[in-house]
Amino acid sequence: MNRWSLAAASAVTAALFLTACGGSGGGGGGLLLPPPASNPPATNPPPAASAPKYTLSIAKTEDVPGSFGSAGAYEKITGTFTGEVDPKDTHNAIIQDLALAPTNANGKVEYKSEFVLFKPKDMSKASGVLRYDAPNRGNIVNLDPYFASRGYVFLTAAWQGDVPAAAGKVTLTVPVAKNPDGSTITGPYRAELLPTVATGDSLPLPGGPFNAAMQAYATASLDNTKPGYVLTRRINEEDARQLIPASEWKFAKCAAGNPFPGTPDETSVCLKAGWDPAYMYELVYVAKDPKVMGLGLAALRDMIAFFHHEASDAAGTVNPVASAIRNTIASGVSQCGNFMKTFVHLGFNEDRAGRKVFDGVFAQIAARQTNINTRFAIPGGGGGVRSDHTAFGQAGTRGLSKDYVDDVAQRRGGILSRCEATGTCPKLFIGFSGTEFYVLQGSPLLTDAWGTTDLAQPANARVYYYASSHHLLGLPSMPGSAAGALYATNGNAGVIPVVRALYQNLEDWVVKGTNPPDSQVPKLADSTLVRPQQVKFPAIPGVAYTGLVNTFSLLDWGPSYRPQDESGIPTQVPPAYLGRDYAILVPQVDADGNDIAGIRSLDVAVPLGTNTGWNYTSKPTTIDQAGLFGAYFPFARTTAARTGSGDPRLSLQERYTNQAGYVSAVTAAANDLVARRFMLRVDADAAIAAAAATPVLP
């Protein structure tokens, strides 16, 4: 893999499921550092006159169609929560650029978060559980009918300050930081522009595979001949960058009727020769006006504390769920699961009064942390093999334990270090798909940095691997051509009932104190977690397993960036390679190519084919995974068809004999999952009935 510095650079798609300044320097070479300092002990609350004020504004209340078990009718409340943060409060000290944000007459920094609240119309029927569902790139999360029947209050509220206003989305308004003299802050920024078709039209910033619709950081100058402005292109990540002269591109909007050089624009890029989809384009430029994006952490903390504990806001508006909440649970999927881990890691699960914010957190298909607390943060980045690979915001510690030691970076301390110091750690579930291992650098959560020893997880945490699943949980299988993939995509829908059972287990742990099932993950100790080249994938006709994974290198973004905290000011853009890499391991498979370890849902326990967490792009000459898709390879139906094709995997006929045998196998597997608390009885009964009604064999 080619590595580079900013000086060197100067010389030379996927769908998602419904994806403090300063510190120890860029990469952390040298001596092992002591544990990171926890937030200073909470001080006495400030006098009431100067305490932060919160205002609730309810725009609409409407009935939710239907009725939900004993909870009955629900209503949907849409509104905004306006809060303010004290820059002098130690609980907020880690928020990047908070001290450079404008303050109001109360001496505080303001934010405004849009929210949607679902609650029983009769709050006497509420269970006392508030579940917060973090919106992925602003997309509103609807109530879950099963948990609504249990009387949950559901809240989805904005935490990401670069989401543009749009129908079906919630947005967070945060201020722009300024220098102490009021002048504009500028700094280096990198964007990856990924055209999907050949076009002479301009491409918008911020670019990347997951952020095309987000609000961009404008260029500080339209003059791209100035130092710090470089556009290059290459096909694969390891290819040498090809410099595109400044005369060949402009910050401008252009189209067929308005060709190059187009109309000057601070957040669009026009290329004289047009964009070629075979290439990945990398733009390094000087950006301006960084948002105080880390306020999203404080906004969530303060809003949950308000709904949990307060009777009314500063203006006397009544909290619609006042006195009804006893327990709080957070749910985050993909990007939002990463956000929830960052929320806990940076100490925001402690509110201003020193109380826990969330009693339980489920970080779903979440391998990493989220880039929300750096200058010029873009929280929606992904992290593929070819693109978004070294964007800052992907260096945060992966280990959970406060005693975790990162031998690659020579750092100590994990995600739970700060909350352990304040006694505010939540009960934590982390859910993984196979894609988290192959594409999203997930295995460092499970092993030491060199990949030689399994980690013991803290007592308050469980990690659950959904065997042979992919990131797009529950998405039906589709032809590879429809997904830009080499192979048909994974349709491991059986994972969804497993996830629902795990949410029930988390509720029981939080509310009743019932210990959940042990972690279910592949391990080095039993050889179910291995190097990619050690996977014993079967020789399925027409299929080539390559072992391609997204690597995880130790990188340096400059001395003002604190990578283990995903915080600070990146000044080395692109980052420099520090010569060391974390081990990336993947699950071992059985003779069918399905993963051995983890929770084997019905699709895997009683398989109709091979499901994987990996798939490859179908783009010629491009070396990459197919975004966040896995692959599916069906079994032959009969013995004759299997032997004729040379498939080493047993046919359906050899496995189950007939339809009755298949239904019997599904019944046994479903009952086993129920007994192990990885499936609810209602879902098991439905799955058994579906197997009986769906012919697989005569």
Side-chain angles (χ1 to χ4, degrees), residues 82-134:
T82 302
E84 52 183 24
V85 171
D86 187 349
K88 298 177 182 178
D89 188 335
T90 55
H91 291 93
N92 307 318
I94 201 169
I95 299 176
Q96 178 61 41
D97 290 335
L98 182 63
L100 299 177
T103 56
N104 60 19
N106 201 28
K108 308 297 188 295
V109 178
E110 292 187 357
Y111 61 81
K112 179 182 290 187
S113 175
E114 295 179 338
F115 72 86
V116 176
L117 183 78
F118 296 93
K119 72 176 192 66
K121 294 187 74 172
D122 181 353
M123 283 300 289
S124 69
K125 297 180 180 179
S127 68
V129 175
L130 181 149
R131 171 170 150 179
Y132 169 74
D133 287 286

Short mmCIF file of all heavy atoms in Angstrom, two decimals, residues 82-134:
data_model
loop_
_atom_site.label_atom_id
_atom_site.label_comp_id
_atom_site.label_asym_id
_atom_site.label_seq_id
_atom_site.Cartn_x
_atom_site.Cartn_y
_atom_site.Cartn_z
N THR A 82 -34.01 23.58 22.07
CA THR A 82 -32.94 24.58 22.02
C THR A 82 -32.21 24.60 23.35
O THR A 82 -32.83 24.73 24.41
CB THR A 82 -33.52 25.97 21.72
OG1 THR A 82 -34.23 25.93 20.47
CG2 THR A 82 -32.40 27.00 21.63
N GLY A 83 -30.92 24.41 23.28
CA GLY A 83 -30.13 24.37 24.49
C GLY A 83 -28.94 25.29 24.41
O GLY A 83 -28.65 25.90 23.38
N GLU A 84 -28.24 25.39 25.52
CA GLU A 84 -27.03 26.19 25.57
C GLU A 84 -25.99 25.48 26.43
O GLU A 84 -26.33 24.74 27.36
CB GLU A 84 -27.31 27.60 26.09
CG GLU A 84 -28.06 27.67 27.39
CD GLU A 84 -28.38 29.10 27.82
OE1 GLU A 84 -28.44 29.99 26.94
OE2 GLU A 84 -28.54 29.34 29.03
N VAL A 85 -24.75 25.67 26.06
CA VAL A 85 -23.64 24.97 26.69
C VAL A 85 -22.67 25.99 27.27
O VAL A 85 -22.31 26.97 26.61
CB VAL A 85 -22.93 24.07 25.65
CG1 VAL A 85 -21.63 23.51 26.22
CG2 VAL A 85 -23.85 22.95 25.21
N ASP A 86 -22.25 25.75 28.50
CA ASP A 86 -21.31 26.63 29.16
C ASP A 86 -19.89 26.25 28.77
O ASP A 86 -19.43 25.15 29.10
CB ASP A 86 -21.49 26.51 30.68
CG ASP A 86 -20.66 27.53 31.46
OD1 ASP A 86 -19.78 28.18 30.85
OD2 ASP A 86 -20.89 27.66 32.68
N PRO A 87 -19.15 27.12 28.08
CA PRO A 87 -17.79 26.78 27.68
C PRO A 87 -16.86 26.57 28.88
O PRO A 87 -15.80 25.94 28.74
CB PRO A 87 -17.34 27.99 26.86
CG PRO A 87 -18.59 28.70 26.47
CD PRO A 87 -19.56 28.45 27.58
N LYS A 88 -17.25 27.08 30.06
CA LYS A 88 -16.40 26.97 31.24
C LYS A 88 -16.69 25.72 32.07
O LYS A 88 -15.95 25.42 33.01
CB LYS A 88 -16.57 28.21 32.10
CG LYS A 88 -16.16 29.50 31.39
CD LYS A 88 -16.42 30.73 32.27
CE LYS A 88 -16.05 32.01 31.54
NZ LYS A 88 -16.33 33.22 32.36
N ASP A 89 -17.77 25.01 31.74
CA ASP A 89 -18.13 23.80 32.47
C ASP A 89 -17.20 22.67 32.05
O ASP A 89 -17.03 22.39 30.87
CB ASP A 89 -19.59 23.44 32.15
CG ASP A 89 -20.14 22.30 33.02
OD1 ASP A 89 -19.34 21.48 33.50
OD2 ASP A 89 -21.37 22.23 33.18
N THR A 90 -16.58 22.00 33.02
CA THR A 90 -15.63 20.94 32.70
C THR A 90 -16.28 19.79 31.94
O THR A 90 -15.58 19.04 31.26
CB THR A 90 -14.99 20.41 33.99
OG1 THR A 90 -16.03 19.99 34.90
CG2 THR A 90 -14.15 21.47 34.66
N HIS A 91 -17.59 19.62 32.07
CA HIS A 91 -18.27 18.56 31.32
C HIS A 91 -18.18 18.80 29.81
O HIS A 91 -18.40 17.87 29.03
CB HIS A 91 -19.74 18.48 31.72
CG HIS A 91 -19.96 17.99 33.11
ND1 HIS A 91 -20.08 18.84 34.19
CD2 HIS A 91 -20.08 16.73 33.61
CE1 HIS A 91 -20.26 18.12 35.29
NE2 HIS A 91 -20.26 16.84 34.97
N ASN A 92 -17.90 20.03 29.41
CA ASN A 92 -17.88 20.39 28.00
C ASN A 92 -16.47 20.64 27.47
O ASN A 92 -16.30 21.00 26.30
CB ASN A 92 -18.72 21.65 27.76
CG ASN A 92 -20.12 21.53 28.31
OD1 ASN A 92 -20.75 20.48 28.18
ND2 ASN A 92 -20.61 22.58 28.96
N ALA A 93 -15.46 20.47 28.32
CA ALA A 93 -14.11 20.92 27.99
C ALA A 93 -13.55 20.27 26.74
O ALA A 93 -12.74 20.88 26.03
CB ALA A 93 -13.18 20.68 29.18
N ILE A 94 -13.95 19.05 26.44
CA ILE A 94 -13.35 18.33 25.32
C ILE A 94 -13.93 18.75 23.97
O ILE A 94 -13.37 18.43 22.92
CB ILE A 94 -13.51 16.81 25.51
CG1 ILE A 94 -12.48 16.06 24.67
CG2 ILE A 94 -14.94 16.35 25.20
CD1 ILE A 94 -12.39 14.58 24.99
N ILE A 95 -15.03 19.51 23.95
CA ILE A 95 -15.67 19.87 22.69
C ILE A 95 -14.75 20.80 21.89
O ILE A 95 -14.42 21.91 22.32
CB ILE A 95 -17.04 20.55 22.92
CG1 ILE A 95 -17.98 19.59 23.64
CG2 ILE A 95 -17.64 21.00 21.59
CD1 ILE A 95 -19.33 20.21 24.00
N GLN A 96 -14.34 20.33 20.72
CA GLN A 96 -13.41 21.08 19.88
C GLN A 96 -14.01 22.42 19.46
O GLN A 96 -15.13 22.48 18.97
CB GLN A 96 -13.05 20.27 18.64
CG GLN A 96 -12.12 20.97 17.68
CD GLN A 96 -10.78 21.31 18.30
OE1 GLN A 96 -10.22 20.50 19.04
NE2 GLN A 96 -10.28 22.50 18.02
N ASP A 97 -13.24 23.49 19.67
CA ASP A 97 -13.57 24.85 19.24
C ASP A 97 -14.74 25.47 20.00
O ASP A 97 -15.23 26.55 19.60
CB ASP A 97 -13.86 24.93 17.73
CG ASP A 97 -12.60 24.72 16.90
OD1 ASP A 97 -11.49 24.98 17.41
OD2 ASP A 97 -12.71 24.30 15.73
N LEU A 98 -15.18 24.86 21.10
CA LEU A 98 -16.28 25.45 21.87
C LEU A 98 -15.90 26.83 22.38
O LEU A 98 -16.73 27.75 22.39
CB LEU A 98 -16.65 24.54 23.04
CG LEU A 98 -17.82 25.00 23.92
CD1 LEU A 98 -19.11 25.07 23.10
CD2 LEU A 98 -18.00 24.08 25.12
N ALA A 99 -14.65 27.00 22.78
CA ALA A 99 -14.19 28.30 23.29
C ALA A 99 -14.14 29.36 22.19
O ALA A 99 -14.02 30.56 22.50
CB ALA A 99 -12.82 28.15 23.94
N LEU A 100 -14.23 28.96 20.93
CA LEU A 100 -14.17 29.90 19.81
C LEU A 100 -15.55 30.13 19.19
O LEU A 100 -15.66 30.79 18.17
CB LEU A 100 -13.21 29.38 18.74
CG LEU A 100 -11.76 29.19 19.20
CD1 LEU A 100 -10.92 28.59 18.07
CD2 LEU A 100 -11.16 30.52 19.66
N ALA A 101 -16.58 29.60 19.83
CA ALA A 101 -17.95 29.77 19.32
C ALA A 101 -18.56 31.04 19.90
O ALA A 101 -18.24 31.44 21.03
CB ALA A 101 -18.80 28.56 19.70
N PRO A 102 -19.45 31.70 19.18
CA PRO A 102 -20.13 32.88 19.72
C PRO A 102 -21.02 32.51 20.89
O PRO A 102 -21.58 31.41 20.94
CB PRO A 102 -20.95 33.39 18.53
CG PRO A 102 -21.14 32.19 17.65
CD PRO A 102 -19.89 31.38 17.81
N THR A 103 -21.14 33.41 21.84
CA THR A 103 -21.97 33.17 23.02
C THR A 103 -23.15 34.13 23.04
O THR A 103 -23.12 35.21 22.44
CB THR A 103 -21.15 33.34 24.31
OG1 THR A 103 -20.57 34.65 24.33
CG2 THR A 103 -20.05 32.30 24.40
N ASN A 104 -24.19 33.75 23.78
CA ASN A 104 -25.38 34.58 23.90
C ASN A 104 -25.27 35.48 25.13
O ASN A 104 -24.22 35.53 25.81
CB ASN A 104 -26.65 33.72 23.94
CG ASN A 104 -26.65 32.75 25.11
OD1 ASN A 104 -25.92 32.90 26.09
ND2 ASN A 104 -27.51 31.73 25.03
N ALA A 105 -26.34 36.16 25.46
CA ALA A 105 -26.33 37.08 26.59
C ALA A 105 -26.10 36.36 27.91
O ALA A 105 -25.68 36.97 28.89
CB ALA A 105 -27.64 37.86 26.63
N ASN A 106 -26.36 35.07 27.93
CA ASN A 106 -26.15 34.27 29.13
C ASN A 106 -24.73 33.71 29.21
O ASN A 106 -24.40 32.94 30.11
CB ASN A 106 -27.17 33.12 29.16
CG ASN A 106 -27.38 32.54 30.56
OD1 ASN A 106 -27.22 33.24 31.55
ND2 ASN A 106 -27.75 31.27 30.61
N GLY A 107 -23.90 34.09 28.22
CA GLY A 107 -22.52 33.62 28.20
C GLY A 107 -22.39 32.18 27.75
O GLY A 107 -21.37 31.54 27.99
N LYS A 108 -23.41 31.68 27.06
CA LYS A 108 -23.43 30.28 26.66
C LYS A 108 -23.44 30.16 25.14
O LYS A 108 -23.78 31.09 24.42
CB LYS A 108 -24.67 29.58 27.23
CG LYS A 108 -24.87 29.75 28.74
CD LYS A 108 -23.75 29.15 29.56
CE LYS A 108 -24.06 29.16 31.04
NZ LYS A 108 -24.17 30.50 31.61
N VAL A 109 -23.08 28.98 24.66
CA VAL A 109 -23.10 28.66 23.24
C VAL A 109 -24.38 27.89 22.95
O VAL A 109 -24.68 26.88 23.60
CB VAL A 109 -21.87 27.81 22.85
CG1 VAL A 109 -21.92 27.45 21.36
CG2 VAL A 109 -20.58 28.57 23.17
N GLU A 110 -25.13 28.33 21.97
CA GLU A 110 -26.44 27.75 21.69
C GLU A 110 -26.41 26.71 20.57
O GLU A 110 -25.56 26.76 19.68
CB GLU A 110 -27.44 28.84 21.31
CG GLU A 110 -27.79 29.79 22.44
CD GLU A 110 -28.91 30.75 22.06
OE1 GLU A 110 -29.36 30.72 20.90
OE2 GLU A 110 -29.33 31.54 22.93
N TYR A 111 -27.36 25.79 20.64
CA TYR A 111 -27.61 24.82 19.57
C TYR A 111 -29.12 24.62 19.51
O TYR A 111 -29.87 24.95 20.43
CB TYR A 111 -26.91 23.48 19.85
CG TYR A 111 -27.38 22.81 21.12
CD1 TYR A 111 -28.56 22.07 21.16
CD2 TYR A 111 -26.66 22.95 22.32
CE1 TYR A 111 -29.01 21.47 22.33
CE2 TYR A 111 -27.10 22.36 23.49
CZ TYR A 111 -28.27 21.63 23.49
OH TYR A 111 -28.72 21.06 24.66
N LYS A 112 -29.58 24.06 18.41
CA LYS A 112 -31.00 23.72 18.27
C LYS A 112 -31.11 22.38 17.56
O LYS A 112 -30.59 22.20 16.46
CB LYS A 112 -31.74 24.80 17.47
CG LYS A 112 -33.24 24.50 17.27
CD LYS A 112 -33.92 25.57 16.44
CE LYS A 112 -34.04 26.87 17.21
NZ LYS A 112 -34.87 27.87 16.47
N SER A 113 -31.80 21.45 18.21
CA SER A 113 -31.96 20.10 17.67
C SER A 113 -33.42 19.81 17.39
O SER A 113 -34.27 19.96 18.26
CB SER A 113 -31.40 19.06 18.65
OG SER A 113 -31.66 17.75 18.19
N GLU A 114 -33.72 19.38 16.16
CA GLU A 114 -35.06 18.93 15.83
C GLU A 114 -35.25 17.51 16.37
O GLU A 114 -34.32 16.71 16.38
CB GLU A 114 -35.28 18.94 14.32
CG GLU A 114 -35.22 20.33 13.72
CD GLU A 114 -35.41 20.34 12.22
OE1 GLU A 114 -35.16 19.29 11.58
OE2 GLU A 114 -35.79 21.38 11.68
N PHE A 115 -36.47 17.21 16.82
CA PHE A 115 -36.74 15.89 17.37
C PHE A 115 -38.12 15.40 16.97
O PHE A 115 -39.01 16.19 16.61
CB PHE A 115 -36.61 15.88 18.90
CG PHE A 115 -37.72 16.59 19.63
CD1 PHE A 115 -38.92 15.93 19.94
CD2 PHE A 115 -37.59 17.92 20.01
CE1 PHE A 115 -39.95 16.58 20.61
CE2 PHE A 115 -38.62 18.58 20.67
CZ PHE A 115 -39.80 17.92 20.98
N VAL A 116 -38.30 14.08 17.05
CA VAL A 116 -39.60 13.44 16.91
C VAL A 116 -39.75 12.50 18.09
O VAL A 116 -38.87 11.67 18.34
CB VAL A 116 -39.73 12.69 15.58
CG1 VAL A 116 -41.07 11.94 15.51
CG2 VAL A 116 -39.60 13.64 14.40
N LEU A 117 -40.86 12.63 18.81
CA LEU A 117 -41.11 11.83 20.01
C LEU A 117 -42.39 11.03 19.80
O LEU A 117 -43.43 11.59 19.44
CB LEU A 117 -41.26 12.74 21.23
CG LEU A 117 -41.46 12.09 22.59
CD1 LEU A 117 -40.13 11.55 23.12
CD2 LEU A 117 -42.04 13.10 23.58
N PHE A 118 -42.32 9.72 19.99
CA PHE A 118 -43.51 8.86 19.96
C PHE A 118 -43.78 8.40 21.39
O PHE A 118 -42.87 7.89 22.07
CB PHE A 118 -43.27 7.63 19.08
CG PHE A 118 -43.02 7.94 17.63
CD1 PHE A 118 -41.74 8.09 17.15
CD2 PHE A 118 -44.08 8.05 16.74
CE1 PHE A 118 -41.49 8.35 15.81
CE2 PHE A 118 -43.85 8.32 15.40
CZ PHE A 118 -42.55 8.47 14.93
N LYS A 119 -45.03 8.55 21.83
CA LYS A 119 -45.36 8.16 23.20
C LYS A 119 -46.80 7.65 23.27
O LYS A 119 -47.64 8.00 22.43
CB LYS A 119 -45.18 9.34 24.16
CG LYS A 119 -46.23 10.43 24.02
CD LYS A 119 -46.03 11.50 25.07
CE LYS A 119 -47.23 12.44 25.14
NZ LYS A 119 -48.46 11.77 25.63
N PRO A 120 -47.10 6.81 24.26
CA PRO A 120 -48.50 6.42 24.44
C PRO A 120 -49.36 7.66 24.71
O PRO A 120 -48.93 8.57 25.45
CB PRO A 120 -48.45 5.50 25.66
CG PRO A 120 -47.04 5.00 25.72
CD PRO A 120 -46.21 6.15 25.23
N LYS A 121 -50.54 7.71 24.15
CA LYS A 121 -51.43 8.84 24.43
C LYS A 121 -51.80 8.86 25.90
O LYS A 121 -51.93 9.93 26.51
CB LYS A 121 -52.68 8.77 23.55
CG LYS A 121 -52.39 8.95 22.06
CD LYS A 121 -53.67 9.05 21.24
CE LYS A 121 -54.35 10.39 21.44
NZ LYS A 121 -55.49 10.59 20.51
N ASP A 122 -51.96 7.70 26.46
CA ASP A 122 -52.21 7.56 27.89
C ASP A 122 -50.89 7.18 28.55
O ASP A 122 -50.48 6.01 28.52
CB ASP A 122 -53.27 6.50 28.14
CG ASP A 122 -53.59 6.33 29.62
OD1 ASP A 122 -52.90 6.94 30.47
OD2 ASP A 122 -54.53 5.55 29.93
N MET A 123 -50.20 8.17 29.14
CA MET A 123 -48.87 7.91 29.67
C MET A 123 -48.88 6.99 30.89
O MET A 123 -47.83 6.50 31.31
CB MET A 123 -48.16 9.22 29.99
CG MET A 123 -47.62 9.95 28.75
SD MET A 123 -46.40 8.96 27.84
CE MET A 123 -45.02 9.01 28.99
N SER A 124 -50.05 6.73 31.45
CA SER A 124 -50.11 5.76 32.54
C SER A 124 -49.83 4.34 32.03
O SER A 124 -49.53 3.43 32.82
CB SER A 124 -51.49 5.80 33.22
OG SER A 124 -52.49 5.30 32.37
N LYS A 125 -49.90 4.16 30.71
CA LYS A 125 -49.62 2.87 30.11
C LYS A 125 -48.18 2.75 29.62
O LYS A 125 -47.79 1.72 29.06
CB LYS A 125 -50.58 2.61 28.96
CG LYS A 125 -52.05 2.55 29.40
CD LYS A 125 -52.98 2.30 28.21
CE LYS A 125 -54.44 2.23 28.67
NZ LYS A 125 -55.35 2.01 27.52
N ALA A 126 -47.40 3.80 29.80
CA ALA A 126 -45.99 3.75 29.41
C ALA A 126 -45.22 2.84 30.36
O ALA A 126 -45.53 2.75 31.55
CB ALA A 126 -45.39 5.16 29.42
N SER A 127 -44.20 2.18 29.82
CA SER A 127 -43.43 1.21 30.62
C SER A 127 -42.37 1.85 31.49
O SER A 127 -41.84 1.20 32.39
CB SER A 127 -42.75 0.22 29.67
OG SER A 127 -41.72 0.88 28.92
N GLY A 128 -42.05 3.12 31.20
CA GLY A 128 -40.97 3.77 31.92
C GLY A 128 -39.65 3.76 31.18
O GLY A 128 -38.65 4.32 31.64
N VAL A 129 -39.61 3.12 29.98
CA VAL A 129 -38.39 3.06 29.17
C VAL A 129 -38.46 4.09 28.05
O VAL A 129 -39.43 4.13 27.29
CB VAL A 129 -38.19 1.66 28.56
CG1 VAL A 129 -36.98 1.66 27.61
CG2 VAL A 129 -37.99 0.62 29.66
N LEU A 130 -37.45 4.94 27.97
CA LEU A 130 -37.27 5.83 26.82
C LEU A 130 -36.16 5.26 25.97
O LEU A 130 -35.05 5.02 26.46
CB LEU A 130 -36.93 7.25 27.26
CG LEU A 130 -36.76 8.29 26.13
CD1 LEU A 130 -37.17 9.68 26.62
CD2 LEU A 130 -35.33 8.34 25.60
N ARG A 131 -36.46 5.03 24.70
CA ARG A 131 -35.44 4.55 23.76
C ARG A 131 -35.13 5.65 22.77
O ARG A 131 -36.01 6.13 22.04
CB ARG A 131 -35.93 3.29 23.03
CG ARG A 131 -35.02 2.86 21.88
CD ARG A 131 -35.40 1.50 21.35
NE ARG A 131 -35.09 1.37 19.93
CZ ARG A 131 -35.31 0.27 19.23
NH1 ARG A 131 -35.84 -0.79 19.82
NH2 ARG A 131 -35.03 0.22 17.94
N TYR A 132 -33.86 6.05 22.75
CA TYR A 132 -33.39 7.04 21.78
C TYR A 132 -32.80 6.31 20.58
O TYR A 132 -31.90 5.47 20.73
CB TYR A 132 -32.33 7.94 22.40
CG TYR A 132 -31.62 8.81 21.38
CD1 TYR A 132 -32.25 9.89 20.80
CD2 TYR A 132 -30.30 8.52 20.98
CE1 TYR A 132 -31.62 10.67 19.85
CE2 TYR A 132 -29.66 9.29 20.04
CZ TYR A 132 -30.32 10.37 19.47
OH TYR A 132 -29.68 11.14 18.53
N ASP A 133 -33.32 6.61 19.39
CA ASP A 133 -32.77 6.05 18.15
C ASP A 133 -32.04 7.17 17.40
O ASP A 133 -32.67 8.11 16.91
CB ASP A 133 -33.89 5.48 17.28
CG ASP A 133 -34.43 4.17 17.84
OD1 ASP A 133 -33.74 3.15 17.73
OD2 ASP A 133 -35.54 4.19 18.41
N ALA A 134 -30.72 7.06 17.33
CA ALA A 134 -29.93 8.09 16.67
C ALA A 134 -30.21 8.07 15.17
O ALA A 134 -30.13 7.01 14.54
CB ALA A 134 -28.45 7.86 16.94
#
